[in-house]
Amino acid sequence: MSPNRMLSLSRASKLPQRSKQTGSALVIGIFIITVMFLLAATLINILDDADQEISLEVWGTRAFAAANSGADRALATLFPVDGSGGSCNAQTTWNIGSDTNLVGFHGCDVVMTCSAVTTNLPQNNMTQYLVTSTATCSTGQCDSGSDSDASCIRVSRQVEVEARD
């Protein structure tokens, strides 16, 4: 057999195999694109959850700082620096963002409560105070109506302080 004849026979034997494989690359390509799309969608969801978690952590820190500031304010009212007699108000509301003009506390409200218990023991006559400061910080459209949950972040923190005179 001549080399040209062998070459044409080998080409002829490969032709049916190629026709059997037609379209398999298309199926593999679609499979790879689908898998890559699912991986990208999962990654987007993970990043979105991480972003929301960081926002909640930041707002939680702001609420905790506002609650501490509220407890400090209630204690300053209870025990003034000048030594005069303070007062234990039952409940006080403080809009810390608008009252202090601090940008970090915008959207934060603090509710401070104070309760006093006086003991009448013969050795010592003292009053014990419990100051509770609850701060709620929110952003977005929390109070706008039915569609408000989509863009609303609301975080609350509470601090309790006990004191006596």
Side-chain angles (χ1 to χ4, degrees):
M1 247 203 254
S2 72
N4 289 337
R5 176 80 178 149
M6 283 182 55
L7 184 63
S8 66
L9 283 177
S10 66
R11 285 183 186 166
S13 64
K14 289 184 181 179
L15 285 177
Q17 290 177 354
R18 285 185 184 169
S19 65
K20 289 180 185 178
Q21 294 179 359
T22 304
S24 64
L26 179 64
V27 172
I28 292 172
I30 290 174
F31 176 75
I32 290 173
I33 289 172
T34 304
V35 169
M36 294 301 281
F37 172 75
L38 291 175
L39 286 174
T42 303
L43 184 62
I44 288 171
N45 284 339
I46 289 171
L47 292 176
D48 187 43
D49 289 344
D51 184 40
Q52 186 175 8
E53 186 175 318
I54 288 172
S55 295
L56 286 174
E57 186 174 336
V58 168
W59 281 98
T61 303
R62 287 181 182 180
F64 184 67
N68 278 335
S69 297
D72 289 343
R73 183 177 183 181
L75 287 173
T77 304
L78 189 59
F79 302 110
V81 177
D82 62 3
S84 64
S87 63
C88 182
N89 298 329
Q91 184 170 346
T92 308
T93 303
W94 182 32
N95 188 336
I96 188 171
S98 64
D99 287 351
T100 61
N101 291 326
L102 295 173
V103 177
F105 292 119
H106 67 282
C108 293
D109 292 319
V110 182
V111 176
M112 300 161 289
T113 58
C114 180
S115 60
V117 175
T118 304
T119 59
N120 294 326
L121 296 175
Q123 292 93 4
N124 55 358
N125 194 9
M126 73 175 162
T127 305
Q128 291 183 324
Y129 301 98
L130 176 64
V131 175
T132 304
S133 174
T134 304
T136 304
C137 295
S138 61
T139 184
Q141 300 174 352
C142 291
D143 298 324
S144 66
S146 62
D147 198 21
S148 63
D149 291 340
S151 66
C152 174
I153 296 176
R154 182 178 290 150
V155 179
S156 180
R157 297 289 184 265
Q158 183 174 0
V159 174
E160 288 185 349
V161 179
E162 292 182 353
R164 67 178 181 199
D165 61 355

